[in-house]
Amino acid sequence: MEVRSQAPWRPWARAKPRVIVLESDRGQAFGPVAEYTAPGHLQQHFTKRRVNAGQCFVYILESLDWRFTEVFEANLKLHPALFEDHDRLVPFHGRATGEGGGIPFLPSAICDRGYVSFKYHEPLVLSPTPCGFRTVCEISGRHIAITRLMGKFLDIAAVRRKCTFWSEELDDGGWQCLIVCDPPIKRILTASGEHDVTTSPYNYGYWDFMRSHRQLAKSSGPPRTSFLDDLLFYFQAYAQDSGPTDPEFHQANIEKLQFSFSRRPDLTAFAIAAVEEQWSDIQALERRLNEYQDDIEAIMLQLRIPFGQPVLAATGRWEQSDVDYQFLHLRICEITRRADGLNSAICALADLTNSRQAFRAQDIGHQAAERSLREAKSVKTLTILGVVFIPLSFVAALFSMSDPYRPGGREFWMYFAAALPLTSLTLLGFWVLELGYSKGSMAWSFETVISNVWTKK
């Protein structure tokens, strides 16, 4: 494990942002890709930029850095809330992961924002496999959800991600847009320290969402190495074929790509497999499903997609994602209900197990009580034998002091004359002591003796 000696870690403090700029005239393919890794060079681009009639600009920012965001805010006249919303991920502040707090979406609060911000979860395969739950991305601080199955941590992780899209129309029919996305994961922070990791798409990544005949016309597909690389592929490979006249085509690409990355329908198998997990893991699964449902509803709210049953007949073009999100929302709700039922079954199983253990404990206690009763009876028998033989032994010892009282002597009959009355008197005393205790009481009384004697008569 490599340990870095530097300032305390915080989200985005180690970010190495890069900006991709694409330019095109209306109806034409995008020109060469321009990449900027220094904010000064990006500012020079805006200073030298000349907007012609119908010209289009696409800016893609990977990772957050206040120096780059200031350049975009100043030149694109952006509200700082755009980058703040991209940073925020959780509905409350002060998490151990360091993620910024956020607020729930309300229709009245987002109706005139001019941008949309999508939160999603990307399934990745991590190598080496993490050995704990508390895992975050070194750059963004986004939480990486690790799953435990049958007491073993899996190498499949659900990574929190976010993508923000903004666009506006320019004079003379042109437009420009800004896309902010998260970087690929190359290093993670865990409770035990920092670790380099290698990531790969889960189950070979998402399906290419373009029409099949258009995919066949291309010689390659998306690289699936990062959100930026995949988005750049679709811009360069399909933008001219579609002939976009506004940024709606690119927003549709964003929606489709984010939808493909999240791959939430795969959670069906995950929920069924989690039946063998411990109760705490079932709780974690249910919490994740509730979070996924909140994310889908937030995206649908921003895209003005109505909540309801998906109408498959309304799917006419690949750019339309309304039915996809409605179906995804329906499936997440169904899987959440299934997880609730699984949680109830686990709780019922725990109750049955506790009842069986209590029955076994009661049975063991009953057997112990029976053994104690048998032992008490044995002790009582030994006590009676002791009561009988102690007077005999005492008298024998007493008369052994003189020769006439030994067996065969002329006075031996006096042994029985003294021992038998003494034994009878001892047994009578023992019997009186036994009759002096009532049922369920530990106190002895003479009234109890008289009452028991009359009851026995």
Side-chain angles (χ1 to χ4, degrees), residues 118-435:
F118 301 145
K119 175 191 172 185
Y120 61 98
H121 291 75
E122 180 183 4
L124 293 174
V125 178
L126 304 183
S127 179
T129 302
C131 55
F133 288 110
R134 183 167 295 181
T135 305
V136 299
C137 173
E138 178 210 22
I139 301 299
S140 64
R142 313 277 201 213
H143 181 253
I144 302 174
I146 307 299
T147 302
R148 183 177 59 190
L149 184 63
M150 299 294 292
K152 180 181 179 181
F153 288 100
L154 304 182
D155 58 354
I156 303 172
V159 184
R160 282 177 177 164
R161 297 291 206 180
K162 210 164 188 182
C163 178
T164 303
F165 179 83
W166 168 90
S167 66
E168 73 169 357
E169 295 183 357
L170 302 175
D171 297 336
D172 299 325
W175 55 264
Q176 60 184 355
C177 69
L178 170 65
I179 302 168
V180 186
C181 59
D182 291 346
I185 296 178
K186 298 181 179 179
R187 191 175 179 86
I188 60 176
L189 306 181
T190 65
S192 60
E194 306 180 14
H195 308 273
D196 293 325
V197 294
T198 302
T199 62
S200 59
Y202 168 67
N203 202 16
Y204 304 104
Y206 60 91
W207 287 91
D208 194 339
F209 48 81
M210 289 294 180
R211 295 297 178 92
S212 300
H213 67 277
R214 298 177 63 185
Q215 296 181 33
L216 294 175
K218 303 297 178 180
S219 59
S220 61
R224 296 180 177 85
T225 53
S226 68
F227 195 100
L228 187 149
D229 294 337
D230 291 1
L231 195 59
L232 187 61
F233 167 79
Y234 284 107
F235 281 152
Q236 294 179 315
Y238 293 102
Q240 185 180 10
D241 295 345
S242 299
T245 58
D246 53 48
E248 290 182 359
F249 165 79
H250 305 293
Q251 182 170 344
N253 275 342
I254 297 291
E255 296 171 12
K256 288 288 185 179
L257 195 57
Q258 182 273 329
F259 172 83
S260 302
F261 263 126
S262 54
R263 296 179 60 84
R264 305 264 172 77
D266 288 343
L267 289 173
T268 304
F270 175 68
I272 295 175
V275 70
E276 298 179 351
E277 289 294 327
Q278 299 178 357
W279 180 82
S280 59
D281 297 330
I282 298 297
Q283 299 301 312
L285 170 63
E286 191 171 8
R287 184 179 66 251
R288 290 181 192 176
L289 289 172
N290 290 328
E291 181 182 1
Y292 298 158
Q293 184 175 348
D294 292 341
D295 296 342
I296 290 294
E297 292 175 353
I299 293 175
M300 295 175 66
L301 189 62
Q302 295 181 86
L303 298 179
R304 308 297 193 272
I305 299 176
F307 297 98
Q309 294 289 332
V311 181
L312 300 180
T315 308
R317 301 177 57 190
W318 74 267
E319 298 94 335
Q320 296 175 345
S321 58
D322 295 14
V323 177
D324 295 337
Y325 280 101
Q326 288 174 340
F327 175 76
L328 189 58
H329 182 260
L330 179 67
R331 291 297 302 149
I332 287 294
C333 293
E334 176 60 28
I335 296 172
T336 303
R337 285 192 293 269
R338 194 178 304 173
D340 292 338
L342 181 61
N343 187 24
S344 301
I346 292 295
C347 294
L349 181 60
D351 293 338
L352 291 175
T353 303
N354 292 334
S355 300
R356 180 173 292 274
Q357 291 178 350
F359 175 77
R360 292 184 59 187
Q362 184 180 3
D363 184 57
I364 293 175
H366 180 68
Q367 295 176 5
E370 289 183 348
R371 287 195 300 269
S372 299
L373 182 60
R374 289 195 301 267
E375 292 173 357
K377 290 181 178 180
S378 301
V379 171
K380 184 176 181 179
T381 302
L382 293 175
T383 302
I384 294 174
L385 293 175
V387 169
V388 172
F389 283 98
I390 286 176
L392 299 177
S393 301
F394 173 74
V395 173
L398 181 64
F399 283 92
S400 65
M401 293 186 298
S402 301
D403 184 67
Y405 302 104
R406 65 182 180 179
R410 66 179 183 275
E411 302 293 338
F412 181 66
W413 63 270
M414 294 184 64
Y415 169 78
F416 295 100
L420 292 179
L422 184 57
T423 301
S424 300
L425 183 61
T426 305
L427 290 175
L428 178 62
F430 178 78
W431 182 64
V432 171
L433 290 176
E434 284 290 316
L435 293 178

Side-chain angles (χ1 to χ4, degrees), residues 28-99:
Q28 301 296 322
F30 286 107
V33 176
E35 181 173 346
Y36 301 96
T37 57
H41 297 162
L42 180 62
Q43 181 59 51
Q44 293 178 5
H45 159 77
F46 282 107
T47 303
K48 299 177 180 179
R49 189 180 79 163
R50 298 293 181 266
V51 181
N52 301 321
Q55 196 168 10
C56 306
F57 299 89
V58 176
Y59 298 94
I60 307 176
L61 171 62
E62 184 182 73
S63 299
L64 287 180
D65 187 293
W66 64 270
R67 298 170 301 171
F68 284 88
T69 59
E70 285 185 346
V71 174
F72 282 116
E73 291 173 6
N75 293 274
L76 300 182
K77 304 299 187 290
L78 299 176
H79 195 284
L82 184 149
F83 300 103
E84 288 292 332
D85 284 346
H86 184 83
D87 181 35
R88 294 175 179 175
L89 240 177
V90 294
F92 51 89
H93 189 65
R95 288 178 57 96
T97 58
E99 295 170 303

